[in-house]
Amino acid sequence: MTADIAFTRLPHPASTAAEVRAAVLADPGFGKTFTDHMVTIDWSEAAGWHNPTVMPYGPIALDPAAAVLHYAQEIFEGLKAYRFNDGGTALFRPEANARRFNASAARLAMPEMPEALFVEAIRQLVAADHDWFPTVDGGSLYLRPFMIATEAFLGVRPAKQYKFIVIASPAGNYFKSGAPAVSIWVSDYTRAAPGGTGAAKCGGNYAASLVPTAEAFARGHDQVLFLDAAEHRWIEELGGMNLFFVFANGSILTPPLGGTILPGITRDSLLQLAREEGLTVREERYSIDQWRADAASGALLEAFACGTAAVVTPVGKVADPDGEFIVGSGGPGQLTGKLKDRLVAIQRGTAPDPHGWVMRLD
Ligand code: PLP
Ligand code: COI
């Protein structure tokens, strides 16, 4: 099936009242409210991808034996649509999300989806819910495409039936603290091991991160940091974000992709922007001990987290059972701010887009 096959549109019996929607859009938070519609597409061995439908947002019926409920065959993506000053809307690098979705699908033994169909499904949802863009500064429409195994079968093998769904949620700041910099807890738990699913965006990775995340919250931190599985020494990534380090010698470092961390699209975009700023860009291993030492000596000036939900968020404090240390000033650093501004300006259409990252929808 190709993207030009028509989507069925089911009418909405009672869309959200305008004043209720306006209240949400003025203060959306993150991931709390969903728009009026969703898109679903089914897959079976016999028919491939079929039955693309835009329908009212709501519960889905699943057989209690559906494979996703037992063996966690589930993958997802996260990307944002932005409303530009001219009133039109745009996506940021949706083809990159489509490619990563297919890489996740391959790792979880799920069917891949034509990139054009993935993007068209998102386009259909944004068109149906174009009144759901937040009115707050920095707001966007967060899109969550995902795929679940729907076949009712308890044997352990790849399922033969799947459902792809896209939902949308008006989004403001990811971190509700609103603090200028976040605090992170270095976990003893491991997120991903070589040969595992760390590079895939599958729900199971996040399920495994919930105890360490809850531990971080209980200790008063905003996010959890995972170290490598083998030596418990090398910095990998946060629960839902990649990490960058900015040094006094004009270099910037982020841990290398090696199968255990998520290849972030924000990470990739910032690497490109940092090169264009004339920085020395290093994708190298960096240990927690070195981070502590470099923060103390002043060799390290700034650190920041990045991802679709978090955009670019300064890291101000790091803690583990040995104690805690402050990064740079403990607040937002200069280069972090500069890279964030450059990225956000491209995403929101207030700066030129020389890389062809922005896809206008209308
Ligand atoms: N790492 C993890 C574990 C994530 O969940 C995310 C968010 O999607 C990222 C990194 C950043 O990826 P991206 O920049 O593509 O949103
Ligand atoms: C995203 O940034 O899109 C994510 O999936 C991260 C998640 C923690 C919300």
Side-chain angles (χ1 to χ4, degrees):
M1 196 185 97
T2 61
D4 36 63
I5 289 193
F7 280 61
T8 302
R9 295 174 149 272
L10 302 182
H12 202 300
S15 13
T16 308
E19 60 276 15
V20 174
R21 192 177 63 227
V24 168
L25 299 181
D27 184 19
F30 184 86
K32 295 188 300 187
T33 314
F34 301 91
T35 60
D36 282 331
H37 296 89
M38 62 185 187
V39 167
T40 68
I41 313 178
D42 296 316
W43 187 92
S44 66
E45 277 193 332
W49 291 107
H50 63 283
N51 199 20
T53 308
V54 183
M55 62 176 74
Y57 180 95
I60 51 170
L62 272 185
D63 191 295
V68 65
L69 301 176
H70 302 271
Y71 310 125
Q73 232 190 330
E74 189 267 0
I75 58 170
F76 67 98
E77 269 304 325
L79 70 164
K80 284 174 171 172
Y82 304 89
R83 191 180 285 295
F84 284 8
N85 288 335
D86 64 10
T89 57
L91 300 171
F92 184 71
R93 303 188 72 182
E95 311 93 334
N97 293 95
R99 281 196 296 276
R100 188 171 66 189
F101 192 68
N102 281 336
S104 300
R107 180 63 184 84
L108 273 284
M110 299 170 93
E112 294 181 28
M113 171 173 252
E115 282 177 26
L117 180 60
F118 177 95
V119 174
E120 183 59 23
I122 291 166
R123 179 192 287 271
Q124 293 278 339
L125 185 58
V126 175
D129 287 329
H130 64 273
D131 288 338
W132 279 91
F133 281 80
T135 46
V136 279
D137 224 24
S140 57
L141 188 61
Y142 182 80
L143 295 150
R144 173 54 64 88
F146 62 104
M147 190 199 326
I148 53 175
T150 51
E151 188 192 1
F153 176 68
L154 294 183
V156 182
R157 58 139 172 82
K160 294 182 178 176
Q161 267 176 29
Y162 296 88
K163 193 182 272 292
F164 170 81
I165 306 179
V166 193
I167 55 175
S169 176
N173 259 342
Y174 181 74
F175 291 105
K176 59 174 173 295
S177 73
V182 294
S183 163
I184 63 180
W185 169 252
V186 185
S187 184
D188 274 340
Y189 287 95
T190 297
R191 176 182 177 275
T197 58
K201 207 161 167 58
C202 58
N205 288 342
Y206 296 79
S209 78
L210 298 180
V211 163
T213 298
E215 201 171 280
F217 290 168
R219 291 171 181 270
H221 304 286
D222 302 293
Q223 267 282 303
V224 62
L225 167 67
F226 292 107
L227 302 176
D228 74 293
E231 297 180 57
H232 203 67
R233 178 173 167 220
W234 304 106
I235 293 162
E236 298 226 304
E237 64 180 325
L238 304 185
M241 291 138 223
N242 293 117
L243 261 185
F244 274 83
F245 303 91
V246 179
F247 296 90
N249 67 6
S251 70
I252 188 164
L253 179 152
T254 193
L257 303 178
T260 55
I261 70 174
L262 194 78
I265 294 158
T266 317
R267 173 188 180 280
D268 184 72
S269 309
L270 290 168
L271 283 171
Q272 178 74 27
L273 296 179
R275 272 183 212 108
E276 292 165 15
E277 288 293 321
L279 296 161
T280 304
V281 169
R282 300 189 280 147
E283 291 180 73
E284 292 169 17
R285 296 205 296 183
Y286 192 53
S287 73
I288 184 69
D289 292 337
Q290 196 63 47
W291 188 3
R292 191 182 271 110
D294 289 346
S297 72
L300 179 87
L301 298 180
E302 308 171 27
F304 62 85
C306 69
T308 298
V311 196
V312 171
T313 302
V315 173
K317 191 163 79 176
V318 185
D320 68 10
D322 295 337
E324 56 181 55
F325 61 94
I326 301 293
V327 182
S329 64
Q334 216 179 353
L335 194 84
T336 302
K338 189 168 183 182
L339 288 173
K340 178 180 180 176
D341 290 348
R342 280 213 57 198
L343 177 70
V344 169
I346 296 172
Q347 290 173 330
R348 295 185 175 276
T350 58
D353 172 32
H355 316 92
W357 286 339
V358 169
M359 179 185 282
R360 287 298 297 245
L361 298 178
D362 55 24

